[in-house]
Amino acid sequence: PTRQSGGHRRYAESDVDAVLQLLRRRSEGMALGAAVRAVSPEPYPTRSVFAEVRRRHPQLAPQVLSKPSLVALSRAIEDECCARAARPLLFGGFQHENHLRASRDRWVELARTARATVAFAQLSQPASARSGRLVEVDLPPEAPLNREWLVVCDAADLPAGMIAVQMPGQDPAQDAGPDAGPDVRRFEVLWSVDPRVVRDASRVAAALADEYAPGWRPGGLTGTDEDPPQASPDLARASELFNRMLGYLESTH
């Protein structure tokens, strides 16, 4: 929908037609999720959280960081936001199964107080989802998320998100084996505590979880449809300062 100056939404005739088609398919016995996918254009055709956030928020300046810096940023968001936020919606992107297993205890603990917690990775055998536990989503080999590293905490009180994509020309599995040496991969990174940026990242991740693991959503999961308030200028200035600090720290490695 488009939003009018007074806050009212306006839908196009094509939207009305889509709803009528959905109702017809539901009356024919089609499941709701399948009916929605059948009548809707693909909302995130790139199937990449990084690409969609970059497209929707071109003001964000990506930084190139090494894996040690990325680990520190991820841990800071997990400890400060994911662990302290009130009933957040959490998404993590781990690329490989061994990376998820190394962090699984942390994420299981985070999942205890979250509305829902989803971890993406290429998995040999995803763990079965249980109420209040981590939902593991197996990625197909062709999924762009296989190159991405995510920590997204969609919460009203402490929103934060870090989305990174592995730079081309590096072996994504170079640290995946038991005899792997130090992982010196580099990533192009976007991070933000702007509620709207975090909400968009959450929406893309949720849509991809719908595609790769239908039925993952717990009953009554809501809160991602509305747009949160925009970040204040003070928050934007603080983010710019932190970006500069990250750049100086990275240059010392």
Side-chain angles (χ1 to χ4, degrees), residues 1 3 7-9 11 44 89 115 154-156 195-203 221-230:
R3 191 183 292 271
H8 297 288
R9 291 181 175 85
Y11 293 83
Y44 310 114
L89 180 58
R115 287 184 293 156
D154 186 359
R196 292 193 177 181
V197 175
V198 176
R199 177 60 51 82
D200 281 338
S202 174
R203 286 168 174 162
L221 179 63
T222 60
T224 60
D225 295 334
E226 297 294 327
D227 288 328
Q230 196 160 6

Side-chain angles (χ1 to χ4, degrees), residues 4 13 15 42 49 66 81 93 95 129 138 140 147 183 208 217 234 246:
Q4 305 298 304
E13 288 187 12
D15 297 322
E42 290 185 304
V49 180
S66 61
C81 298
Q95 297 186 302
D138 182 29
R147 297 179 57 236
D183 185 0
L208 293 174
R217 293 176 182 257
D234 288 341
L246 271 179

Side-chain angles (χ1 to χ4, degrees), residues 43-128:
Y44 310 114
T46 65
R47 289 169 170 74
S48 161
V49 180
F50 183 92
E52 292 298 332
V53 170
R54 191 87 172 90
R55 180 173 66 84
R56 290 166 178 264
H57 300 277
Q59 80 281 3
L60 292 178
Q63 290 184 284
V64 176
L65 299 179
S66 61
K67 183 177 178 181
S69 296
L70 208 53
V71 169
L73 184 56
S74 298
R75 291 289 190 258
I77 293 175
E78 291 171 8
D79 292 345
E80 184 69 16
C81 298
C82 299
R84 293 181 54 209
R87 301 287 292 165
L89 180 58
L90 305 179
F91 295 95
F94 296 87
Q95 297 186 302
H96 292 281
E97 185 168 20
N98 67 309
H99 299 153
L100 173 57
R101 297 294 172 245
S103 297
R104 192 173 188 278
D105 288 345
R106 287 174 61 89
W107 277 74
V108 167
E109 177 64 21
L110 294 173
R112 288 196 312 107
T113 55
R115 287 184 293 156
T117 307
V118 176
F120 297 97
Q122 275 197 310
L123 303 170
S124 57
Q125 188 173 1
S128 58

